[in-house]
Amino acid sequence: MTDKVPSAGSCPIDAPRDEVVVLGHGSGGRLTADLVNRVFLPALSNPILDRLEDGAGISLSGTRIVFSTDAFVVKPLRFPGGDIGSLAVNGTINDLAVMGGQPVGLSAAFILEEGFAIEDLRDFTRSMRAAADRAGVAIVAADTKVVDHGKADGLYIATSGIGVVPDKLCLGPEQIKPGDALLVSGPLGDHGIAVMSAREGFEFQTALVSDSAPLNGLVSSMLASGGRIRCMRDPTRGGVATILNELARSGVAEIVVEDARVPVRDAVRAACEILGLDPLYVACEGTIVAIVADEDEGRVLGAMREHPLGAHACRIGTVTATGKARVLLHTALGTTRYLEQLSGSQLPRIC
Amino acid sequence: MTDKVPSAGSCPIDAPRDEVVVLGHGSGGRLTADLVNRVFLPALSNPILDRLEDGAGISLSGTRIVFSTDAFVVKPLRFPGGDIGSLAVNGTINDLAVMGGQPVGLSAAFILEEGFAIEDLRDFTRSMRAAADRAGVAIVAADTKVVDHGKADGLYIATSGIGVVPDKLCLGPEQIKPGDALLVSGPLGDHGIAVMSAREGFEFQTALVSDSAPLNGLVSSMLASGGRIRCMRDPTRGGVATILNELARSGVAEIVVEDARVPVRDAVRAACEILGLDPLYVACEGTIVAIVADEDEGRVLGAMREHPLGAHACRIGTVTATGKARVLLHTALGTTRYLEQLSGSQLPRIC
């Protein structure tokens, strides 16, 4: 981010002085990873945080829990298929779910802008309640702060959650084995495109609706199938490409994605073409990526397809080797290229 | 807050249209309670949240935990005795501590403003680490979002925490009994006055330093004393007066405070006089209020005074009756008056 080589005519200055936060630091891609590696981990490092998972695994007198947090600053506050309230609830539930945690309680910290309409706040809290009810969990702790007019875009919400992990369940990228199947629960990119369309006022012929939804029920069905699930992720900021790069690095695995198999709605694909985006980098908020044992593909896919949120589940790739940390894309044209992590900020403020 | 009576010349409008969030809704006092009662509870109500305690008590397979969250929007980000980083850690640790919870893990959600200096972010995360180390806990989960330049005042931080409650410990306002002693661990108002002075650039002859500190060690000492502790609170926004009103309401108890016994540093008292503030309404961030059995006052006070954060612990009042929910102040002049909850916004943005 910082140009360490002084450009012609530049004055000598203290090196870090021009280093500032940019929107891309919140993108979930390479710049976010850079901030995590250069600022957060050096200061806050500990064995749990260092795993950089969607939630922290903690053992409490033999009970295994996961603990997760997310701030939500989506713009606009309402978008087709959801709003900041339901998104804040679903997002944290999904972080717990992909770690194998069934949610037992959520918290919500509200940062309100002076002048924000009480009626809107009421709407968003009702939306949170509806989302929590859908997932079978309660918001058990909350806090409210108010900041001056002009700050906070109306409303930011930070949610945290606690989930209980079933005994003996062992999920994580270190479980990945050569031959494993790469599954997704549904079409990619719906959320990012829905928010972007709402923000920019784009009108497309087909309605674009966010997939924002709680995944704990779908995960329960997948676990109940008995298929060997190695690990799961929800591809939010940075999309599937970014998540797969994280899994490939953590599991030291080579993952090959078959582009022709990647499910993307026609409307989302069309919008992506107009906007110059690749659906593999666009956020989902109710879609799961799972790596499962090859022989158990059918069993897990079957369980997913029986659940309303997994009706379009399919296999999109394979773990081809371990020992190499990389993600490759087989294109429809028969070529193969690296599928890199998101660099920069493709779609800011989408969650 | 809303004037329901149209003023002369006003147009008929939908009643709630002019109801908006004001800074006082974040004060921790009556307006915050109003927002909680009119917006948050109707939407989010459940038996745990409805208790309106500093943290949510949850039982997980026999292990009792408390779960708490707070957003921090303090302005300025640095103040004498602390900064937003240490405050965000101490604040959540203290919410757990007063519920009897020893912290086992914290989370932090960062909302960063585009253009915020990376070096400042590094400072604040280091400050968080130092505060967490002091309390013997780790930040195990984190998230980062970036909002546009001009928003977020540089940095907001929402922290959440999980604490484990010792077996058989039973704390809560419903435990309050007539005759109980009201204790505080140290002088009141240091934090609010320190932040206000830093924000407004006031210069006082004596340094005013925030009391921001983690109270879990002090609470452990108090519990280890064996004295019967009925309940504890940390008097943050709205100060001791507001906390006592909450305890009086929840415990249906009459609490009498002896004004002459209330410990306030000379510098804080002088600043309060200049600013027109009452120290009983000014926030502390490292001070505890405890109600204990009258016969155990000496035992608990002794344990508090042996701890560095409780060196100036003292008794400031008595629970005079149950069945009446009110707080009275015996003044030095011999008069008695109601000590009301904070109304409006005495000191905005102090945490």
Side-chain angles (χ1 to χ4, degrees):
Chain A
M1 195 182 46
T2 305
D3 187 2
K4 297 278 185 182
V5 184
S7 59
S10 73
C11 304
I13 52 168
D14 294 337
R17 267 191 54 197
D18 56 347
E19 280 202 287
V20 296
V21 171
V22 297
L23 279 175
H25 281 124
S27 67
R30 190 171 291 157
L31 281 173
T32 305
D34 186 62
L35 199 64
V36 167
N37 290 323
R38 290 175 50 237
V39 177
F40 291 114
L41 282 188
L44 304 178
S45 174
N46 61 73
I48 301 176
L49 186 69
D50 296 353
R51 289 179 62 90
L52 296 178
E53 294 193 299
D54 286 318
I58 302 174
S59 182
L60 294 178
S61 317
T63 302
R64 290 163 61 204
I65 65 168
V66 284
F67 178 33
S68 182
T69 195
D70 261 339
F72 293 86
V73 300
V74 66
K75 193 173 156 183
L77 297 174
R78 291 182 179 87
F79 47 84
D83 58 39
I84 191 172
S86 53
L87 186 67
V89 168
N90 291 334
T92 284
I93 285 169
N94 294 349
D95 282 343
L96 301 176
V98 295
M99 298 283 293
Q102 277 299 328
V104 293
L106 300 183
S107 70
F110 297 88
I111 298 175
L112 305 174
E113 179 180 343
E114 189 184 11
F116 189 62
I118 298 279
E119 199 50 38
D120 284 332
L121 180 62
R122 203 172 264 132
D123 275 355
F124 294 127
T125 50
R126 284 180 187 141
S127 170
M128 295 180 84
R129 174 58 178 260
D133 282 350
R134 182 176 174 194
V137 65
I139 293 161
V140 295
D143 180 56
T144 307
K145 295 290 177 350
V146 180
V147 296
D148 311 74
H149 183 64
K151 310 289 177 182
D153 296 294
L155 170 66
Y156 303 144
I157 305 175
T159 52
S160 300
I162 299 174
V164 171
V165 182
D167 280 345
K168 294 177 193 149
L169 182 63
C170 193
L171 298 171
E174 65 281 0
Q175 307 291 325
I176 296 174
K177 293 183 178 52
D180 283 352
L182 172 65
L183 313 181
V184 295
S185 61
L188 304 185
D190 291 10
H191 177 74
I193 293 298
V195 171
M196 199 64 183
S197 304
R199 189 191 309 163
E200 305 298 338
F202 296 140
E203 303 226 351
F204 296 99
Q205 288 194 316
T206 318
L208 293 165
V209 177
S210 167
D211 59 343
S212 176
L215 292 167
N216 57 320
L218 176 61
V219 167
S220 289
S221 298
M222 293 166 68
L223 295 175
S225 76
R228 282 161 294 170
I229 298 168
R230 313 295 195 196
C231 59
M232 296 179 280
R233 287 289 185 275
D234 64 326
T236 58
R237 289 180 293 175
V240 165
T242 296
I243 284 298
L244 290 181
N245 273 279
E246 289 172 12
L247 289 179
R249 255 202 316 279
S250 303
V252 197
E254 182 184 78
I255 302 171
V256 177
V257 176
E258 302 292 337
D259 202 15
R261 292 191 182 200
V262 174
V264 180
R265 292 183 203 281
D266 290 343
V268 170
R269 195 177 295 282
C272 280
E273 275 168 19
I274 293 167
L275 298 169
L277 300 173
D278 181 340
L280 284 165
Y281 292 90
V282 180
C284 310
E285 289 285 350
T287 302
I288 210 160
V289 170
I291 295 181
V292 307
D294 185 50
E295 316 91 90
D296 295 343
E297 173 193 335
R299 190 190 288 199
V300 179
L301 272 183
M304 293 169 86
R305 288 176 183 155
E306 279 176 23
H307 193 280
L309 294 175
H312 303 289
C314 61
R315 177 172 181 160
I316 65 165
T318 301
V319 175
T320 44
T322 48
K324 293 180 226 176
R326 61 187 192 182
V327 185
L328 302 173
L329 184 75
H330 276 175
T331 69
L333 299 172
T335 61
T336 299
R337 64 171 174 86
Y338 286 111
L339 189 62
E340 304 280 4
Q341 194 174 15
L342 174 67
S343 58
S345 183
Q346 198 186 45
L347 290 177
R349 306 284 301 271
I350 50 85
C351 63
Chain B
M1 193 181 47
T2 305
D3 188 1
K4 296 277 186 185
V5 184
S7 58
S10 72
C11 304
I13 52 169
D14 294 337
R17 266 190 54 197
D18 56 347
E19 279 203 287
V20 296
V21 170
V22 297
L23 280 175
H25 282 125
S27 66
R30 189 172 291 158
L31 281 172
T32 305
D34 185 62
L35 200 64
V36 166
N37 290 322
R38 290 175 51 235
V39 178
F40 291 114
L41 282 188
L44 304 178
S45 173
N46 61 73
I48 300 175
L49 186 70
D50 296 354
R51 289 178 63 90
L52 295 178
E53 294 192 299
D54 286 317
I58 301 174
S59 181
L60 294 178
S61 316
T63 302
R64 289 164 62 204
I65 65 168
V66 284
F67 178 32
S68 183
T69 195
D70 262 339
F72 293 86
V73 300
V74 66
K75 192 173 157 185
L77 297 174
R78 291 181 180 87
F79 48 83
D83 59 39
I84 191 171
S86 54
L87 185 67
V89 168
N90 291 335
T92 285
I93 286 169
N94 294 349
D95 282 344
L96 301 176
V98 295
M99 298 283 293
Q102 276 299 327
V104 294
L106 301 183
S107 70
F110 297 88
I111 298 175
L112 304 175
E113 179 182 346
E114 188 185 11
F116 189 61
I118 298 278
E119 199 50 38
D120 284 333
L121 181 61
R122 203 172 265 132
D123 275 357
F124 294 128
T125 51
R126 283 181 188 141
S127 169
M128 294 180 83
R129 173 59 177 260
D133 283 350
R134 182 176 174 194
V137 65
I139 293 161
V140 296
D143 180 56
T144 307
K145 294 290 179 347
V146 180
V147 295
D148 311 75
H149 183 65
K151 309 290 179 183
D153 296 294
L155 171 66
Y156 302 146
I157 306 175
T159 52
S160 299
I162 299 174
V164 170
V165 182
D167 280 346
K168 295 178 192 148
L169 181 63
C170 192
L171 297 171
E174 64 280 0
Q175 307 292 326
I176 296 174
K177 293 182 179 52
D180 283 351
L182 172 65
L183 313 181
V184 295
S185 62
L188 304 185
D190 291 10
H191 177 74
I193 293 298
V195 171
M196 200 63 183
S197 304
R199 189 191 309 163
E200 305 298 340
F202 296 141
E203 303 226 352
F204 295 100
Q205 287 194 317
T206 318
L208 293 164
V209 178
S210 167
D211 59 343
S212 176
L215 292 167
N216 58 318
L218 175 62
V219 167
S220 289
S221 298
M222 292 166 68
L223 295 176
S225 76
R228 282 162 294 170
I229 298 169
R230 313 295 196 197
C231 60
M232 295 179 280
R233 287 289 185 275
D234 64 326
T236 58
R237 290 180 293 176
V240 165
T242 296
I243 286 297
L244 291 181
N245 273 280
E246 290 172 13
L247 289 179
R249 256 201 316 279
S250 303
V252 197
E254 181 184 79
I255 302 172
V256 177
V257 176
E258 302 291 338
D259 201 15
R261 291 193 183 198
V262 173
V264 181
R265 292 184 204 281
D266 289 344
V268 170
R269 195 176 295 281
C272 280
E273 274 168 19
I274 292 167
L275 298 169
L277 300 173
D278 181 341
L280 283 165
Y281 291 91
V282 179
C284 311
E285 288 286 350
T287 301
I288 210 161
V289 170
I291 295 181
V292 307
D294 184 50
E295 317 90 271
D296 295 344
E297 172 193 337
R299 189 190 288 199
V300 179
L301 271 183
M304 292 170 86
R305 288 177 182 154
E306 279 176 21
H307 192 282
L309 294 176
H312 302 289
C314 61
R315 177 172 181 161
I316 64 164
T318 301
V319 175
T320 44
T322 48
K324 292 181 226 174
R326 62 186 191 182
V327 185
L328 301 173
L329 184 75
H330 276 176
T331 68
L333 300 173
T335 62
T336 299
R337 63 172 174 87
Y338 285 111
L339 189 62
E340 304 280 4
Q341 194 173 15
L342 174 67
S343 59
S345 184
Q346 198 185 44
L347 291 177
R349 305 283 302 270
I350 50 86
C351 62

